[in-house]
Amino acid sequence: MRTPSLRYRIFRIGNLVFLTLLTLTMILPFINVLAQSLSSSEAIMGGEVSFWPVAFTWINYEYVFGDASFWRAFAVSVGVTLLGTLVNLAATASLAYPVSRPEYKGRSVIVMFVLVTVVFSAPLIPNFILMKELHLVNNPLVLIVPGAINAFNFFVMRSFFAQLPGELIDAARIDGCGEFGIIWRIVIPLSKPAMASLGIFYAVGHWNAYSTALYYLNDPAWWPIQVTLKKLFESDDISVDPGSAVYSTLAHTSPEGIKMATIIIATLPIIIIYPFLQRHFVKGIMVGSVKS
Amino acid sequence: MHRSSGFGARIGDARRYLWRYRILYLLSVPGILYFFLFKYVPLFGSVIAFQNYNIFKGITGSDWVGLEHFQKMFSHYDFLRILNNTLLLGLYDLVIAFPVPIILAILLNEVRQIMFKRTLQTIVYMPHFLSWVVISGIFMGIFSMDAGVVNKALEFLGFQPIYFLGEDSYIRSILIGSGIWRDSGYGTIIFLAAIAGINPDLYEAAEVDGAGRLKQIWSITLPSLLPTIMILLLLHIGKFLDLGFERVFVFLNPLNLESGEILDTYIYKAGLLSQQYSYTTAIGLFKSVVGLALIVIGNFISKKTTGESLY
């Protein structure tokens, strides 16, 4: 069977063609959005733009950059992402590290305690009532505190800490090193890669977060970028067929190009960190899948 | 006498132990409190499904009404329509979207050109990291009536342009399609890892027996993936009514609400916006109970048939 059969060779060529087409369906829409964002609105509305800008212009970006509410939302998202990710890592590690150590009696109880929250999650309204009680409604902290620890990430981090060489920690203890000394000198230096990869995951989550802000923040001053973007889409709800009844009720306020430019800007941070992300996530998922 | 001293000694031991590792235990307190406050407290708060919850009286002061809200649910025309939407979408998601990553992983595995394969992987993982809001914007762009690439292609081929996002009949296809577009590439990771873990001797043995490459996929790769497939299928079944609020909400508009609305978006609309607190909590509980029941039943069937189980 050294030479592949004719059938298999046909399959392989067909497979390559198919996968190429499929991959194009994933990248071309994005290129289309990019091309539209760099085209004049006449060209866009005339349906002339496919994958290359027509009547190239920066006007859409200039408009978005000149919009104070956009900058405000962008700043909120940047702030929440940075601060939120730090809180995530600190909170997750502070529970995952002790529960990963064999000296911590009652480990399995805590693991069950967390696992239950994965299986049973409360409906929206009880959560809303709790947020109200905690004065987190209309408070930007709602974007950071309630999601401080993600159960899945907790398990990933715990299994990472569990792999740390126990002998090293025991030796440090015998040498009279305190618990904080161990954490500071051994655990933190060794867990930088793991922290980086989970941190990136947490950060992407914060950047893309939408529903939490929609549920709990009514004040536009604290809207993150995704909420502002959604409002922008709604302001000129989908291009309605001029013949239909709803057409008159939906005002055309924002040209297509501005939406597209905003999409690109809102996605840029993800694109920028994606290469770093890719290096980490295959490993992260592996650890997770082994655990589950 | 003897026993009590032993017991006392044990208490003393435990205390000494706790004191010795006090830092570890203290460190874990905030995290434990976090899970209790943000995950368990709302779970207890779900009892408002059995009350007429009044925001001023609170949980302790509101009147108990038993299963009234659950009865109301099933006599409510709106609810039945939305449950039907949710079930249909869940079914489509299971039958159409679930197998895609498996097939895709097998096909990717057959690509011999390493650089080309890497490029494909890099691109297909990408959409998973875009937010649903951004994805809905991209879809609105390519499917729009006058400027969309898709309608332009249709026109070019001699078809009438289709108003994809404003017609009720297309919303389910768009929801399932966008789900596949976003997650099928990322979903291949776990299957590719499982394929990489298959013992190469199996393939060699099959080769010696005269099985071609396609035959090998059928009789070695697929059976080897079965455990992974079963586990993921069970997890997926548990989320049958839980499509996710965001992925649906971002595509909804007054024109496609009829077929597009699901339990999660209805709970948001009727619960948070129209303040039917107890009623929508009952719906949320119903959703959780069904999900749990499906996991238990699925696990039982899987255990009996394939030997794979979650617990």
Side-chain angles (χ1 to χ4, degrees), chain A residues 116-117 119-123 126-127 130, chain B residues 36-48 281 285 288:
Chain A
V116 166
T117 68
V119 182
F120 302 96
S121 59
N127 272 307
L130 175 70
Chain B
F36 180 77
L37 180 61
F38 286 103
K39 306 289 170 191
Y40 281 84
V41 168
L43 223 44
F44 301 140
S46 302
V47 298
I48 64 167
T281 303
L285 274 189
S288 304

Side-chain angles (χ1 to χ4, degrees), chain A residues 11-39:
Chain A
F11 163 80
R12 252 192 13 201
I13 292 163
N15 187 25
L16 286 183
V17 171
F18 171 75
L19 285 175
T20 306
L21 288 176
L22 190 89
T23 308
L24 284 177
T25 64
M26 301 207 172
I27 192 92
L28 287 179
F30 200 77
I31 291 176
N32 174 245
V33 168
L34 185 62
Q36 291 203 23
S37 73
L38 293 165
S39 303

Side-chain angles (χ1 to χ4, degrees), chain A residues 98-111:
Chain A
V99 176
S100 74
R101 305 289 1 120
E103 299 82 36
Y104 190 100
K105 292 252 196 298
R107 286 191 308 281
S108 52
V109 178
I110 306 290
V111 167

